[in-house]
């Protein structure tokens, strides 16, 4: 599951078998009663479920881990091979599927949106992080800056900080950003 994207039909069949095992009786002649839907059983315990894994989501998360490794370890052997073959001019988050992809690459690529939605850029000094169009805010709804002041178009995050210390320049922030981006 961490290398190949399982077909939806296979996942449904596996979940069906798990459900039958869970709700089945020890007597082979009776089917048993499904007291709750499989979807409800897959909810977390805090949300009223039992915490079973949704196999499709689990499969995508394991594939996402491979995508995350391609992002972090571009110099590994696998990273160099995939970079040379599929994204020589970018990274895992910016690549398109490409011509004639292998089944493994198609599988890992399927998790790209999941990784992109969850990834956040670590600011550090902020010198290499553009203010716009990069996921660096804490917000889960929209981690990109939505303020559109003309100055921000070619600015980096370091230009929003005091030069002599690692603190935000609040005057600059109030002048350039909407309240949503400052919180």
């Amino acid at each position: 599951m961490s290398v190949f994207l399982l077909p939806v039909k296979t996942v449904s069949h596996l979940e069906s078998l798990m459900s039958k095992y869970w709700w089945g009786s020890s007597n082979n002649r009776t089917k048993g009663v499904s007291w709750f839907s499989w979807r409800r059983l897959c909810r977390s315990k805090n949300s009223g479920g039992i915490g079973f894994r949704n196999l499709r989501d689990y499969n995508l998360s394991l594939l996402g881990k491979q995508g995350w490794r391609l992002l972090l370890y571009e110099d590994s052997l696998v990273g160099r091979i995939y970079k040379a073959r599929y994204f020589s001019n970018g990274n895992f988050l910016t690549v398109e599927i490409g011509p004639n992809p292998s089944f493994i690459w198609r599988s890992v690529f399927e998790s790209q949106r999941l990784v992109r939605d969850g990834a956040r850029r670590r600011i550090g000094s902020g010198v290499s992080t553009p203010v716009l169009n990069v996921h660096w805010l804490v917000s889960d709804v929209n981690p990109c800056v939505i303020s559109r002041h003309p100055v921000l178009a070619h600015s980096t995050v370091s230009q929003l900080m005091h030069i002599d210390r690692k603190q935000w320049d609040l005057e600059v922030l109030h002048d350039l950003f909407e309240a949503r981006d400052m919180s």
Side-chain angles (χ1 to χ4, degrees), residues 91-171:
N91 63 33
F92 177 70
L93 298 180
T94 60
V95 69
E96 296 294 325
I97 188 70
N100 198 20
S102 69
F103 184 68
I104 295 174
W105 173 244
R106 252 186 271 126
S107 297
V108 173
F109 182 79
E110 189 72 25
S111 70
Q112 182 191 44
R113 187 179 55 82
L114 178 71
V115 174
R116 188 183 310 127
D117 290 347
R120 298 293 181 274
R121 181 115 178 214
R122 184 179 293 171
I123 297 302
S125 66
V127 175
S128 64
T129 305
V131 173
L132 299 178
N133 303 321
V134 174
H135 291 202
W136 64 275
L137 296 180
V138 180
S139 173
D140 287 332
V141 177
N142 186 0
C144 293
V145 170
I146 60 172
S147 302
R148 293 293 169 207
H149 194 282
V151 172
L152 297 175
H154 302 289
S155 298
T156 62
V157 175
S158 65
Q159 294 169 327
L160 305 174
M161 297 178 181
H162 286 288
I163 296 171
D164 52 343
R165 54 189 188 270
K166 294 181 181 181
Q167 291 180 338
W168 297 109
D169 188 341
L170 295 179
E171 290 180 31

Side-chain angles (χ1 to χ4, degrees), residues 15-85:
E15 287 180 344
S16 173
L17 290 172
M18 291 166 61
S19 177
K20 286 177 185 173
Y21 175 79
W22 179 253
W23 293 118
S25 67
S26 59
N27 182 355
N28 289 336
R29 288 179 246 148
T30 60
K31 285 176 85 174
V33 178
S34 296
W35 293 102
F36 296 107
S37 69
W38 184 254
R39 181 173 282 159
R40 185 168 174 192
L41 292 176
C42 287
R43 288 188 205 158
S44 69
K45 292 178 183 178
N46 295 338
S47 301
I50 295 185
F52 289 151
R53 287 198 166 88
N54 175 316
L55 293 182
R56 178 71 173 181
D57 292 345
Y58 189 59
N59 188 201
L60 284 173
S61 69
L62 290 172
L63 290 168
K65 189 173 182 180
Q66 301 304 326
W68 186 253
R69 286 180 179 154
L70 290 174
L71 262 177
L72 292 183
Y73 306 113
E74 285 185 346
D75 292 334
S76 68
L77 179 60
V78 172
R80 288 183 298 182
I81 291 170
Y82 275 90
K83 186 167 181 65
R85 173 74 169 94

